[in-house]
Structures are given as structure tokens and as C-alpha cells.
Amino acid sequence: MVASPDNNVADGRTEEQKAIDEWLPITSSRNAKWWYSAFHNVTAMVGAGVLGLPYAMSELGWGPGVTVMVVSWVITLYTLWQMVEMHEMVPGKRFDRYHELGQHVFGNKLGLWIVVPQQLVVEVGLDIVYMVTGGKSFQKIHDLVCKDNCKDIKLTYYIMIFASVHFVLSHLPNFNAISGVSLVAAIMSLSYCTIAWGASIDKGVQPDVEYEYRAENAGEGVFNFFSGLGEVAFAYAGHNVVLEIQATIPSTPEKPSKGPMWKGVLVAYIIVALCYFPVAIIGYWIFGNSVSDNILISLEKPTWLIVLANAFVVIHIIGSYQLYAIPVFDMLETYLIKKLRFKPTWYLRFITRNLYVAFTMFVGIIFPFFGGLLGFFGGFAFAPTTYFLPCIMWLSIYKPKRWGLSWTTNWICIIVGVMLTVLAPIGGLRTIIMQAKDYKFFS
């Protein structure tokens, strides 16, 4: 059956099912252009992770650090291409959600169990980290602007201020509704990355800079190395929403969505490289081992510029939070309507979305460990969904010739990804434990 340009699926749906699909966030709007894909992907990819890259470099060292950065960029671009290609590999059908592709490859039940938990950990985990980053950036702005006779405000309250924005924005219905927010966020990401490395160069190499591993002993160095791997993996998380972004692009048999989507992805990845590599390399070169787990925290002057950069971070991660929240909203609302038979009403959406924002805010308040969270989540769930799950699906579907280029490339990606998944959470969890020793709840 041929896909229609209007709803882009092989239609055996009832009127009720069509109405539900038109109400759900992912399938409700299909009029996006290729440049929507570009700035959605930049907003999804260049998030809190980029600010932790100089710190990751300090844990990995010069040689391994640059190698891991380059290899990650190449592998994730390759697996992102695979995701875009697999979106419409079955004629007349679209896999608009990551778990739908998983169900096609692994079967209805197993596909859900393989993909959904990992995707939820990534998306919810990112939103929790964004709560912490938003709060810390607000705190940094306050500390820079107000230095004399200012009341010391707890990080908890800054996180709550950041969350208050999302209690409003979370009620925008779908990706296209947040396209303006996403475009502004993408511009902000390029801006604060430029400020981060530009202000670092202006500051100059620190007189007491050291590039030796920051660990006091070999064991600590190994754990730090593992955590650094996770922090780099965390920076490449856009795969978790790529099918959902592609779902917003119209498609016909003559003009499949993969053409404009791939054009947008390429533009986004060039911008990602322009953001990631200068920030990581220059930040580490200037500060060495003394760099903070958020590069903007290490920069104090010029005050007005660092205040501006932190404001850009806040604006950017407002967009990023929404980009990762919408697929979660889609899962929640699909489950409530299709499984539990709730009616698709505005108050159902109001309750579920507010509860989600409140949950991510509360967890962010309890565990505001930026660096540790990056390492832990980066390895635990980001590596599987970004580095090797697309490769496993590709091998399963297309069955390339053994030892051929495609087969070998995919297995290399799988091996690298599995190593990241096993090693990175160990380092990240240790970082959280070390930071938690002196931490008081709701401080």
C-alpha cells in the first residue's frame, strides 16, 4: 500500500485511531522543512555535555582525549545516518519512534523491552541533568552580578526557578510547536560555545597549568578515565530523538523524508564539530587539570561576557529540555490513551506533563552532581542507544556480507559501544559517591 502525503502511513486505521495519532505529540504534525531537522538536532546534541568536555579531556589526557572525541564524532555520525535510512525502510510505513523500529527488528514485546527503558533513561536522565545545569547557571549569574552584601541562595531554589519555565513550556503540543524555541536554543549553543573557548584564549594559559592525570594514584586514574569516556558519550545523545524529529518531515514515495532529514543532520554535525572540538581542546589547554566540570564555572572574567554565556546556556537548555521531554510525553500519553483508555483531553496532558516536570526537578534537587551524572548516564544508556543499538538493528535487517565493509564497520562500532557501556558508569558512579560524601540534601 502506498503512503499518502497527508498522514504518511499505510492506512488501515479507524477514525478514532487517526484522531488519537493527530493528538499525540510525535504524529500530530508533518510539515517540517529540512532546516527544522538541522536546528532540532543541534539543540538535541549540543547540550550540557559540551561544557563538561574540557573536564573529560583532563581525565583522559591529550592523546586518548582527542582520539575519543574524533572517534565518537565519526561513529555517531555513521549510526545517525543508519537511523535516518531505517526510518522508511519498509515501503508505505514509517517508524516514527525509536521503539517502533526496535519492535520491527526484535519483535513487538522484546523490542519494547530493549528500547523503551534505555530511551527513557536517556531522555529523563538528560532532563534531570538540564535541571541541575539550569540551576547552576542561574546561580553563577547571581554570583557574578551580585558580589557585595548579597544573600546566599541555595542551589535548590535556582533549580526550582528553572523548572518554573517548564511548567509553562511543557504544554506546547509537539515538535513543530517548539520549533521557535529550538531555533533560539541552537543559536544560543553556538554562541556560548564560542564565548567559552574565546574567553579561555583571552584568559591565556594559566601559570600553574598541569596536564598530568589529576589522579593521586593509578586506581583513581583508571576510574577517572572511565568517567571521562562517559562524559564524551553523554555529549552525543541526539540519536534518542532522531526518528521522532524525522517524523515531523512530510514523506511520499517520490520524496522520502530521509533526503531533507540527512541534509539537516549534516549541517547539525558540522555545527557540533565547531562547538565541541574548540571548547574541549582550548578549555583543557588553558586550564589543564584545574578545569571545572563545567568550563563556564572556571571562567570569571570578563564578568559581563561570562554572565551572557551563562544566560545563553539557560536559554539553550530550556529548548533542549523540551526536545527530550516531548518523546517522554508521547510515551506517557500513548500508554494512558491506548492502554488505559483515557480520553485525549487537555487536562490529561496538563496533569501528566506537570507531574513529569516536577519529578525531574525533584531528582535534580536531590542529586545535583553535574560531572558524575554526565559520566554515569553517558555510559549507562547513551552509549547503547547512540553507539551500537543502531548497528545491531542494521545487521539484523540488512544482513551485510560477513567480513565486508558494512559488517566490519558495524561490529567495530558495537565493540566500542559495549566497552563504553560497561566502563563509563563505573567511573561516573564513583564520581557521584565521592562528591556525595560532603553533600547535604537540599543545600
Side-chain angles (χ1 to χ4, degrees), residues 135-153:
K136 285 193 171 182
S137 294
F138 268 132
Q139 190 177 45
K140 180 72 173 176
I141 292 168
H142 174 268
D143 293 346
L144 284 168
V145 172
C146 187
K147 294 191 174 178
D148 302 316
N149 302 318
C150 288
K151 188 177 180 183
D152 191 29
I153 302 172

Side-chain angles (χ1 to χ4, degrees), residues 144-358:
L144 284 168
V145 172
C146 187
K147 294 191 174 178
D148 302 316
N149 302 318
C150 288
K151 188 177 180 183
D152 191 29
I153 302 172
K154 292 178 180 179
L155 177 60
T156 296
Y157 296 121
Y158 288 111
I159 293 173
M160 290 169 75
I161 293 166
F162 181 75
S164 65
V165 178
H166 297 292
F167 282 114
V168 177
L169 285 182
S170 290
H171 301 292
L172 292 170
N174 53 44
F175 273 123
N176 283 354
I178 66 160
S179 57
V181 177
S182 190
L183 174 60
V184 172
I187 295 167
M188 293 297 104
S189 64
L190 195 55
S191 302
Y192 73 70
C193 287
T194 305
I195 289 173
W197 63 259
S200 295
I201 290 175
D202 184 65
K203 196 175 182 76
V205 177
Q206 298 303 286
D208 54 347
V209 70
E210 290 182 8
Y211 301 113
E212 299 296 321
Y213 287 109
R214 62 169 71 232
E216 294 176 9
N217 54 61
E220 189 181 337
V222 170
F223 281 118
N224 285 350
F225 190 87
F226 291 167
S227 185
L229 291 175
E231 284 152 26
V232 173
F234 187 100
Y236 294 94
H239 297 56
N240 291 277
V241 291
V242 71
L243 293 180
E244 287 81 354
I245 292 170
Q246 194 168 347
T248 65
I249 296 176
S251 179
T252 62
E254 296 78 29
K255 282 189 176 181
S257 64
K258 66 182 181 183
M261 182 67 186
W262 178 238
K263 190 191 290 186
V265 166
L266 276 178
V267 171
Y269 250 71
I270 291 166
I271 295 171
V272 165
L274 292 173
C275 289
Y276 282 18
F277 290 100
V279 171
I281 292 167
I282 294 170
Y284 180 46
W285 173 53
I286 297 297
F287 294 103
N289 288 346
S290 64
V291 72
S292 171
D293 62 1
N294 177 334
I295 179 67
L296 294 179
I297 304 295
S298 294
L299 293 163
E300 296 287 343
K301 292 179 181 179
T303 304
W304 68 270
L305 192 63
I306 308 309
V307 168
L308 196 63
N310 278 281
F312 289 165
V313 171
V314 171
I315 296 167
H316 172 240
I317 58 180
I318 285 170
S320 293
Y321 182 100
Q322 289 302 315
L323 210 61
Y324 284 97
I326 282 179
V328 181
F329 297 152
D330 184 79
M331 287 186 204
L332 290 171
E333 289 161 16
T334 300
Y335 180 77
L336 289 169
I337 292 163
K338 292 189 175 180
K339 296 287 184 188
L340 302 184
R341 308 302 295 172
F342 280 84
K343 287 186 177 179
T345 57
W346 70 267
Y347 49 85
L348 175 71
R349 187 166 270 176
F350 182 83
I351 293 166
T352 53
R353 295 190 177 194
N354 281 343
L355 284 173
Y356 175 76
V357 174

Side-chain angles (χ1 to χ4, degrees), residues 82 84-95 100-101 104-105 258 393-394 397-398:
Q82 289 179 313
V84 171
E85 287 289 315
M86 288 189 285
H87 186 262
E88 292 163 301
M89 63 189 169
V90 177
K93 185 174 175 61
R94 295 181 64 160
F95 299 109
E100 289 175 3
L101 180 60
H104 176 74
V105 176
K258 66 182 181 183
M393 291 176 172
W394 188 271
I397 292 163
Y398 294 107

Side-chain angles (χ1 to χ4, degrees), residues 64-84:
V66 173
T67 304
V68 169
M69 288 277 299
V70 173
V71 169
S72 290
W73 191 87
V74 172
I75 288 178
T76 56
L77 179 59
Y78 172 67
T79 54
L80 201 50
W81 169 78
Q82 289 179 313
M83 297 284 288
V84 171

